[in-house]
CSV table of all heavy atoms in Angstrom, one decimal:
chain,number,residue,atom,x,y,z
A,122,THR,N,92.8,97.1,101.1
A,122,THR,CA,93.1,98.5,101.4
A,122,THR,C,93.8,98.7,102.6
A,122,THR,O,93.6,98.1,103.7
A,122,THR,CB,91.7,99.2,101.4
A,122,THR,OG1,91.0,99.0,100.2
A,122,THR,CG2,91.9,100.7,101.6
A,123,VAL,N,94.8,99.7,102.6
A,123,VAL,CA,95.5,100.1,103.8
A,123,VAL,C,95.2,101.6,104.0
A,123,VAL,O,95.0,102.3,103.0
A,123,VAL,CB,97.0,99.8,103.6
A,123,VAL,CG1,97.6,100.6,102.4
A,123,VAL,CG2,97.7,100.1,104.9
A,124,TYR,N,95.2,101.9,105.3
A,124,TYR,CA,94.8,103.3,105.6
A,124,TYR,C,95.9,103.9,106.5
A,124,TYR,O,96.7,103.2,107.2
A,124,TYR,CB,93.5,103.3,106.4
A,124,TYR,CG,92.4,102.6,105.8
A,124,TYR,CD1,92.1,101.3,106.0
A,124,TYR,CD2,91.5,103.3,104.9
A,124,TYR,CE1,91.0,100.7,105.4
A,124,TYR,CE2,90.5,102.7,104.3
A,124,TYR,CZ,90.2,101.4,104.5
A,124,TYR,OH,89.1,100.8,103.9
A,125,LEU,N,96.0,105.2,106.4
A,125,LEU,CA,96.9,106.0,107.3
A,125,LEU,C,96.0,107.1,107.9
A,125,LEU,O,95.7,108.1,107.2
A,125,LEU,CB,98.1,106.5,106.6
A,125,LEU,CG,99.1,107.2,107.5
A,125,LEU,CD1,99.8,106.2,108.4
A,125,LEU,CD2,100.1,108.0,106.7
A,126,GLN,N,95.7,106.9,109.2
A,126,GLN,CA,94.9,107.9,109.9
A,126,GLN,C,96.0,108.9,110.5
A,126,GLN,O,96.8,108.5,111.3
A,126,GLN,CB,94.1,107.3,111.0
A,126,GLN,CG,93.3,108.3,111.8
A,126,GLN,CD,92.2,109.1,111.0
A,126,GLN,OE1,91.4,108.4,110.4
A,126,GLN,NE2,92.3,110.4,111.0
A,127,MET,N,95.9,110.1,110.1
A,127,MET,CA,96.8,111.1,110.6
A,127,MET,C,96.1,112.1,111.5
A,127,MET,O,95.1,112.7,111.1
A,127,MET,CB,97.5,111.9,109.4
A,127,MET,CG,98.1,110.9,108.4
A,127,MET,SD,99.0,111.8,107.1
A,127,MET,CE,97.6,112.5,106.2
A,128,ARG,N,96.6,112.3,112.7
A,128,ARG,CA,96.1,113.2,113.6
A,128,ARG,C,97.1,114.2,114.1
A,128,ARG,O,98.3,114.0,113.9
A,128,ARG,CB,95.5,112.5,114.8
A,128,ARG,CG,94.5,111.4,114.5
A,128,ARG,CD,94.1,110.6,115.8
A,128,ARG,NE,93.1,109.6,115.5
A,128,ARG,CZ,93.3,108.4,115.1
A,128,ARG,NH1,94.6,108.0,115.0
A,128,ARG,NH2,92.4,107.5,114.9
A,129,SER,N,96.7,115.3,114.7
A,129,SER,CA,97.6,116.3,115.2
A,129,SER,C,98.6,116.7,114.2
A,129,SER,O,99.8,116.8,114.4
A,129,SER,CB,98.2,115.8,116.5
A,129,SER,OG,97.3,115.6,117.5
A,130,LEU,N,98.1,117.0,113.0
A,130,LEU,CA,99.1,117.2,111.9
A,130,LEU,C,99.8,118.5,112.1
A,130,LEU,O,99.3,119.5,112.7
A,130,LEU,CB,98.3,117.3,110.6
A,130,LEU,CG,97.9,115.9,110.0
A,130,LEU,CD1,96.8,116.1,109.0
A,130,LEU,CD2,99.1,115.2,109.4
A,131,LYS,N,101.1,118.5,111.7
A,131,LYS,CA,102.0,119.7,111.8
A,131,LYS,C,102.4,120.1,110.4
A,131,LYS,O,102.4,119.3,109.4
A,131,LYS,CB,103.2,119.3,112.6
A,131,LYS,CG,102.9,118.7,113.9
A,131,LYS,CD,104.2,118.2,114.6
A,131,LYS,CE,104.0,117.5,115.9
A,131,LYS,NZ,105.2,117.0,116.5
A,132,PRO,N,102.8,121.4,110.2
A,132,PRO,CA,103.3,121.8,108.9
A,132,PRO,C,104.4,120.9,108.4
A,132,PRO,O,104.6,120.8,107.2
A,132,PRO,CB,103.8,123.2,109.2
A,132,PRO,CG,102.9,123.7,110.3
A,132,PRO,CD,102.7,122.5,111.2
A,133,GLU,N,105.2,120.4,109.3
A,133,GLU,CA,106.3,119.5,108.9
A,133,GLU,C,105.9,118.2,108.3
A,133,GLU,O,106.7,117.5,107.7
A,133,GLU,CB,107.2,119.2,110.2
A,133,GLU,CG,107.7,120.4,110.9
A,133,GLU,CD,106.8,120.8,112.0
A,133,GLU,OE1,106.9,120.3,113.1
A,133,GLU,OE2,106.0,121.8,111.8
A,134,ASP,N,104.6,117.9,108.4
A,134,ASP,CA,104.0,116.7,107.8
A,134,ASP,C,103.7,116.9,106.3
A,134,ASP,O,103.4,116.0,105.6
A,134,ASP,CB,102.8,116.3,108.5
A,134,ASP,CG,103.0,115.8,110.0
A,134,ASP,OD1,104.1,115.2,110.2
A,134,ASP,OD2,102.2,116.2,110.8
A,135,THR,N,103.8,118.2,105.9
A,135,THR,CA,103.5,118.5,104.5
A,135,THR,C,104.5,117.7,103.6
A,135,THR,O,105.7,117.8,103.7
A,135,THR,CB,103.7,120.0,104.2
A,135,THR,OG1,102.7,120.7,105.0
A,135,THR,CG2,103.5,120.3,102.7
A,136,ALA,N,103.9,116.9,102.7
A,136,ALA,CA,104.7,116.1,101.8
A,136,ALA,C,103.8,115.3,100.8
A,136,ALA,O,102.6,115.4,101.0
A,136,ALA,CB,105.6,115.1,102.6
A,137,VAL,N,104.4,114.7,99.9
A,137,VAL,CA,103.7,113.7,99.0
A,137,VAL,C,103.8,112.4,99.8
A,137,VAL,O,104.9,111.9,100.1
A,137,VAL,CB,104.3,113.6,97.6
A,137,VAL,CG1,103.6,112.5,96.8
A,137,VAL,CG2,104.2,115.0,96.9
A,138,TYR,N,102.7,111.8,100.0
A,138,TYR,CA,102.6,110.5,100.7
A,138,TYR,C,102.4,109.4,99.7
A,138,TYR,O,101.5,109.4,98.8
A,138,TYR,CB,101.5,110.5,101.7
A,138,TYR,CG,101.8,111.3,103.0
A,138,TYR,CD1,101.9,112.7,102.9
A,138,TYR,CD2,102.1,110.7,104.2
A,138,TYR,CE1,102.3,113.4,104.1
A,138,TYR,CE2,102.5,111.4,105.3
A,138,TYR,CZ,102.6,112.8,105.2
A,138,TYR,OH,102.9,113.5,106.4
A,139,TYR,N,103.2,108.4,99.9
A,139,TYR,CA,103.2,107.2,99.0
A,139,TYR,C,102.9,105.9,99.7
A,139,TYR,O,103.4,105.7,100.8
A,139,TYR,CB,104.6,107.0,98.3
A,139,TYR,CG,105.0,108.2,97.4
A,139,TYR,CD1,105.8,109.2,97.9
A,139,TYR,CD2,104.7,108.2,96.1
A,139,TYR,CE1,106.2,110.2,97.1
A,139,TYR,CE2,105.1,109.2,95.3
A,139,TYR,CZ,105.9,110.2,95.8
A,139,TYR,OH,106.3,111.3,95.0
A,140,CYS,N,102.1,105.2,99.1
A,140,CYS,CA,101.8,103.8,99.6
A,140,CYS,C,102.7,102.8,98.8
A,140,CYS,O,102.9,103.0,97.6
A,140,CYS,CB,100.3,103.5,99.4
A,140,CYS,SG,99.8,101.8,99.8
A,141,ALA,N,103.2,101.8,99.5
A,141,ALA,CA,104.0,100.9,98.9
A,141,ALA,C,103.8,99.5,99.4
A,141,ALA,O,103.4,99.3,100.5
A,141,ALA,CB,105.5,101.3,99.1
A,142,ALA,N,104.1,98.5,98.6
A,142,ALA,CA,103.9,97.1,98.9
A,142,ALA,C,105.2,96.4,98.9
A,142,ALA,O,106.0,96.5,98.0
A,142,ALA,CB,102.9,96.4,98.0
A,143,ASP,N,105.5,95.6,99.9
A,143,ASP,CA,106.6,94.7,100.0
A,143,ASP,C,106.2,93.3,99.9
A,143,ASP,O,105.4,92.8,100.7
A,143,ASP,CB,107.3,95.0,101.4
A,143,ASP,CG,108.6,94.2,101.5
A,143,ASP,OD1,108.9,93.3,100.7
A,143,ASP,OD2,109.4,94.5,102.5
A,144,VAL,N,106.6,92.6,98.9
A,144,VAL,CA,106.2,91.3,98.6
A,144,VAL,C,107.1,90.2,99.2
A,144,VAL,O,106.9,89.0,99.1
A,144,VAL,CB,105.9,91.0,97.1
A,144,VAL,CG1,104.9,91.9,96.6
A,144,VAL,CG2,107.2,91.1,96.4
A,145,ALA,N,108.2,90.7,99.8
A,145,ALA,CA,109.3,89.7,100.2
A,145,ALA,C,109.5,89.6,101.7
A,145,ALA,O,110.1,88.7,102.2
A,145,ALA,CB,110.6,90.1,99.6
A,146,GLY,N,109.0,90.6,102.5
A,146,GLY,CA,109.2,90.5,103.9
A,146,GLY,C,108.6,91.6,104.7
A,146,GLY,O,107.9,92.5,104.2
A,147,TRP,N,108.9,91.6,106.0
A,147,TRP,CA,108.5,92.6,106.9
A,147,TRP,C,109.7,93.5,107.1
A,147,TRP,O,110.5,93.3,108.0
A,147,TRP,CB,108.1,91.9,108.2
A,147,TRP,CG,107.7,92.7,109.4
A,147,TRP,CD1,108.1,92.5,110.7
A,147,TRP,CD2,106.8,93.8,109.4
A,147,TRP,NE1,107.5,93.4,111.5
A,147,TRP,CE2,106.7,94.2,110.8
A,147,TRP,CE3,106.0,94.5,108.5
A,147,TRP,CZ2,105.9,95.3,111.2
A,147,TRP,CZ3,105.2,95.6,108.9
A,147,TRP,CH2,105.2,96.0,110.2
A,148,ARG,N,109.8,94.5,106.3
A,148,ARG,CA,110.9,95.4,106.2
A,148,ARG,C,110.5,96.9,106.1
A,148,ARG,O,109.3,97.2,105.9
A,148,ARG,CB,111.8,95.1,105.0
A,148,ARG,CG,112.2,93.6,105.0
A,148,ARG,CD,113.0,93.2,103.8
A,148,ARG,NE,112.2,93.2,102.6
A,148,ARG,CZ,112.6,92.8,101.4
A,148,ARG,NH1,113.9,92.3,101.3
A,148,ARG,NH2,111.8,92.9,100.4
A,149,PHE,N,111.4,97.8,106.3
A,149,PHE,CA,111.0,99.2,106.5
A,149,PHE,C,111.7,100.2,105.5
A,149,PHE,O,111.1,101.1,105.1
A,149,PHE,CB,111.2,99.6,107.9
A,149,PHE,CG,110.6,98.7,108.9
A,149,PHE,CD1,111.3,97.9,109.7
A,149,PHE,CD2,109.2,98.6,108.9
A,149,PHE,CE1,110.8,97.1,110.6
A,149,PHE,CE2,108.6,97.7,109.8
A,149,PHE,CZ,109.4,96.9,110.7
A,150,PRO,N,113.0,99.9,105.1
A,150,PRO,CA,113.6,100.9,104.2
A,150,PRO,C,112.8,100.9,102.9
A,150,PRO,O,112.4,99.8,102.4
A,150,PRO,CB,115.0,100.4,104.0
A,150,PRO,CG,115.2,99.6,105.3
A,150,PRO,CD,113.9,99.0,105.6
A,151,ALA,N,112.7,102.0,102.2
A,151,ALA,CA,112.0,102.2,101.0
A,151,ALA,C,112.5,101.3,99.9
A,151,ALA,O,111.8,100.8,99.0
A,151,ALA,CB,112.0,103.6,100.5
A,152,GLN,N,113.8,101.0,99.9
A,152,GLN,CA,114.4,100.2,98.9
A,152,GLN,C,113.9,98.8,98.7
A,152,GLN,O,114.1,98.2,97.7
A,152,GLN,CB,116.0,100.2,99.0
A,152,GLN,CG,116.4,99.5,100.3
A,152,GLN,CD,117.8,99.7,100.7
A,152,GLN,OE1,118.1,100.7,101.4
A,152,GLN,NE2,118.7,98.9,100.2
A,153,TYR,N,113.3,98.3,99.8
A,153,TYR,CA,112.8,97.0,99.8
A,153,TYR,C,111.4,96.8,99.3
A,153,TYR,O,110.9,95.7,99.1
A,153,TYR,CB,112.9,96.4,101.2
A,153,TYR,CG,114.3,96.1,101.7
A,153,TYR,CD1,114.8,96.9,102.7
A,153,TYR,CD2,115.1,95.2,101.1
A,153,TYR,CE1,116.1,96.7,103.1
A,153,TYR,CE2,116.4,95.0,101.6
A,153,TYR,CZ,116.9,95.8,102.6
A,153,TYR,OH,118.2,95.6,103.0
A,154,TYR,N,110.7,97.9,99.1
A,154,TYR,CA,109.3,97.9,98.6
A,154,TYR,C,109.3,97.8,97.1
A,154,TYR,O,110.0,98.5,96.4
A,154,TYR,CB,108.6,99.1,99.1
A,154,TYR,CG,108.3,98.9,100.6
A,154,TYR,CD1,109.2,99.1,101.6
A,154,TYR,CD2,107.0,98.6,101.0
A,154,TYR,CE1,109.0,98.9,102.9
A,154,TYR,CE2,106.7,98.4,102.4
A,154,TYR,CZ,107.7,98.5,103.3
A,154,TYR,OH,107.4,98.3,104.6
A,155,ASN,N,108.4,97.0,96.6
A,155,ASN,CA,108.4,96.6,95.2
A,155,ASN,C,107.5,97.5,94.3
A,155,ASN,O,107.9,97.9,93.2
A,155,ASN,CB,108.0,95.2,95.0
A,155,ASN,CG,108.8,94.2,95.9
A,155,ASN,OD1,108.4,93.9,97.0
A,155,ASN,ND2,110.0,93.8,95.4
A,156,ASP,N,106.4,97.8,94.9
A,156,ASP,CA,105.3,98.5,94.1
A,156,ASP,C,104.9,99.7,94.8
A,156,ASP,O,104.7,99.7,96.0
A,156,ASP,CB,104.2,97.6,93.8
A,156,ASP,CG,104.6,96.3,93.0
A,156,ASP,OD1,105.1,96.5,91.9
A,156,ASP,OD2,104.4,95.2,93.6
């Protein structure tokens, strides 16, 4: 399980939040995440 603790939330944080897994490396762009 992975968690995201969000504090001091702002209206600009309003969004759909997605969890994703990268099976190939330590990367950050969304395109590299597999699932």
Side-chain angles (χ1 to χ4, degrees):
T122 300
V123 63
Y124 306 93
L125 186 67
Q126 179 67 56
M127 304 184 293
R128 303 177 180 87
S129 300
L130 284 163
K131 306 174 182 179
E133 305 91 83
D134 296 319
T135 296
V137 176
Y138 283 72
Y139 297 91
C140 177
D143 184 350
V144 301
W147 175 227
R148 305 176 292 187
F149 311 112
Q152 65 195 87
Y153 292 110
Y154 286 75
N155 307 94
D156 301 299

